[in-house]
Amino acid sequence: MRVLVTGAAGMVGRKLVAKLAENPALFGAEVESLTLADVIEPPVPAPLHAVSATRTVDLARQEDAVSLIAGRPDLVFHLAAIVSGEAEVEFDKGYAINMDGTRYLLEAIRSQGAQEPYCPRFVFASSIAVFGEPFPDRISDDFFTTPLTSYGTQKAICELLLADYSRKGFLDGIGIRLPTICIRPGKPNLAASGFFSNILREPLVGEEAVLPVEEDVRHWFASPRAAVGFCAHAASLDTSVLGARRNLTMPGLSALVGEQIEALRRVAGEKAANLIRREPNQDIRKIVAGWPRNFDARRATGLGFKAETSFDDIIKIHIEDELEGVIR
C-alpha cells in the first residue's frame, strides 16, 4: 500500500503517523511507501524512515497537488487545512487552501485515472462546522448543512465534491466530520475553538489560561487519540455501506465549558481550576454561538467509530499521552 498524508506536520497528522510507527498494520495492509506532506517538513518516526519521504508543499498551488498524486497513492489522508479562526479572518487564504487545495487533489486523482485505472481511498477530514443554527437538541446525519462560517462553508463544499467524485468512480471517498479535538497538545493556534483546549492544557502544567465565553457554552468534543482512531478506521472501512452518503459525523462527547472545568477540578484539583481567567471576547462568542452543540452520531457508531464518553477520560488521556502521566 502506498499512503499519502497531507497536513502531516499538524497535530492529527503527526499522531496518525506515530500510531502507524507503533502498528504497521494500522491501515489494514503493509505500507510500502509513505509520503508526508505539509507547508513545513513533517517529522518522520524512526521506524518509518525506510519507507517514508517528506514533501514541503503549498496546496494552493495546483502543481503541488498534481505532484503529490503522481505517485498514485492507494490511500490518501487529506488532513491539511487552514483552521477556523484564520479562515474567517484570511478569507482568500481559507478558500485557496481549504477549498481549492482539496479540489486540486481530487482533480489530480481524476487525471491519473484517465490515463489508466486508478481509484484510491480518500479520507477527508471535515468538520462539524458544516452545520449552522437553528439546531435541534441533537443533530442527526440527515440534518441539512447551513454553515455560518467561511471555514464551515469550505468544508461543506468539499464534502459535496467528495461525494460527487466518489459517485463518478474517480475515487473511494469518506468524509469524517471531526468534533473539536481536545485537549490539543502544543501551543495555542488560531482556531476559534482553541480555548476549549487552552483552559485545560495550560492549568495542567501550572500556567494561566483565558476563557473568552460563558461556562454555559455547550460543544461537541473528542480526544486526539479518538481522532487518530477515526482516521485509521476510515482507511479500511467497507465504504459500500455508505451508499451515496459519504460524509459521517464522528461520535463525541457533548459537554458544557463548566463541565470541562469541573472535570479539571476532579482530575487535577482546585489549584489547576483556579488558573482559568474569565476574559469575555465578543468575536469568539459570536463564532461559537453559531456552532453545533450535540449530535446523534449513531450512523458512525454503528460502523465502528468510537470516542470518549467523559471529560475526565479526555483529560486523563492528555496526561498519559503528553505529560508522561504527571500533572505538573
Side-chain angles (χ1 to χ4, degrees):
M1 177 186 289
R2 298 179 299 275
V3 179
L4 166 65
V5 182
T6 73
M11 185 270 292
V12 175
R14 285 185 288 106
K15 286 185 172 289
L16 178 64
V17 173
K19 191 66 176 178
L20 176 64
E22 296 175 5
N23 178 10
L26 185 64
F27 305 146
E30 181 182 354
V31 175
E32 65 181 58
S33 72
L34 176 65
T35 301
L36 306 177
D38 212 319
V39 290
I40 60 173
E41 185 173 5
V44 181
L48 297 175
H49 280 170
V51 297
S52 297
T54 60
R55 296 283 306 278
T56 304
V57 298
D58 178 1
L59 287 180
R61 294 162 45 92
Q62 187 170 9
E63 56 267 37
D64 283 7
V66 169
S67 71
L68 290 177
I69 300 301
R72 298 171 70 90
D74 304 294
L75 171 61
V76 178
F77 291 101
H78 182 34
L79 310 179
I82 297 300
V83 296
S84 54
E86 187 174 6
E88 196 67 20
V89 174
E90 299 285 348
F91 187 83
D92 291 336
K93 184 178 181 181
Y95 272 91
I97 299 295
N98 295 345
M99 187 189 75
D100 293 337
T102 302
R103 183 169 177 268
Y104 290 154
L105 286 171
L106 299 180
E107 275 296 289
I109 290 170
R110 184 168 76 97
S111 178
Q112 284 288 330
Q115 300 169 36
E116 59 180 282
Y118 177 53
C119 185
R121 172 66 56 89
F122 192 96
V123 179
F124 171 60
S126 188
S127 169
I128 58 172
V130 299
F131 299 108
E133 60 183 358
F135 299 121
D137 290 339
R138 299 182 75 195
I139 300 168
S140 64
D141 276 287
D142 56 5
F143 187 71
F144 43 80
T145 56
T146 52
L148 297 177
T149 63
S150 295
Y151 176 77
T153 301
Q154 292 147 16
K155 291 292 187 179
I157 291 169
C158 293
E159 286 192 1
L160 290 173
L161 291 172
L162 181 80
D164 197 38
Y165 278 64
S166 296
R167 179 184 66 84
K168 296 290 286 185
F170 301 140
L171 49 83
D172 180 14
I174 176 169
I176 53 175
R177 295 178 185 132
L178 296 177
T180 287
I181 302 304
C182 185
I183 302 167
R184 297 183 68 94
K187 299 295 183 182
N189 63 17
L190 295 177
S193 60
F195 70 88
F196 288 120
S197 287
N198 301 350
I199 61 171
L200 303 175
R201 183 184 58 236
E202 271 65 46
L204 285 171
V205 293
E207 297 177 5
E208 192 175 67
V210 172
L211 175 61
V213 301
E214 293 82 1
E215 291 189 21
D216 63 355
V217 167
R218 179 176 291 279
H219 199 54
W220 187 246
F221 302 96
S223 74
R225 189 185 291 181
V228 169
F230 299 155
C231 291
H233 189 58
S236 57
L237 182 72
D238 177 5
T239 54
S240 66
V241 300
L242 299 179
R245 298 170 62 197
R246 289 278 173 157
N247 299 284
L248 294 162
T249 300
M250 293 293 98
L253 169 67
S254 179
L256 300 171
V257 168
E259 291 171 333
Q260 285 186 270
I261 296 170
E262 285 306 309
L264 176 66
R265 185 174 281 112
R266 285 192 297 271
V267 174
E270 193 70 34
K271 182 179 178 181
N274 288 340
L275 288 169
I276 299 171
R277 185 176 80 251
R278 279 69 175 170
E279 195 173 286
N281 182 309
Q282 293 302 324
D283 292 334
I284 297 296
R285 282 174 162 180
K286 183 177 179 181
I287 292 174
V288 172
W291 285 350
R293 302 167 184 88
N294 195 10
F295 289 87
D296 178 356
R298 71 179 67 185
R299 187 165 176 244
T301 54
L303 292 171
F305 292 94
K306 299 177 182 178
E308 297 77 23
T309 58
S310 81
F311 236 105
D312 294 57
D313 288 341
I314 288 177
I315 294 172
K316 289 173 183 177
I317 284 171
H318 179 78
I319 294 169
E320 290 173 13
D321 291 354
E322 306 299 333
L323 303 180
E324 300 179 336
V326 178
I327 301 172
R328 294 173 172 77

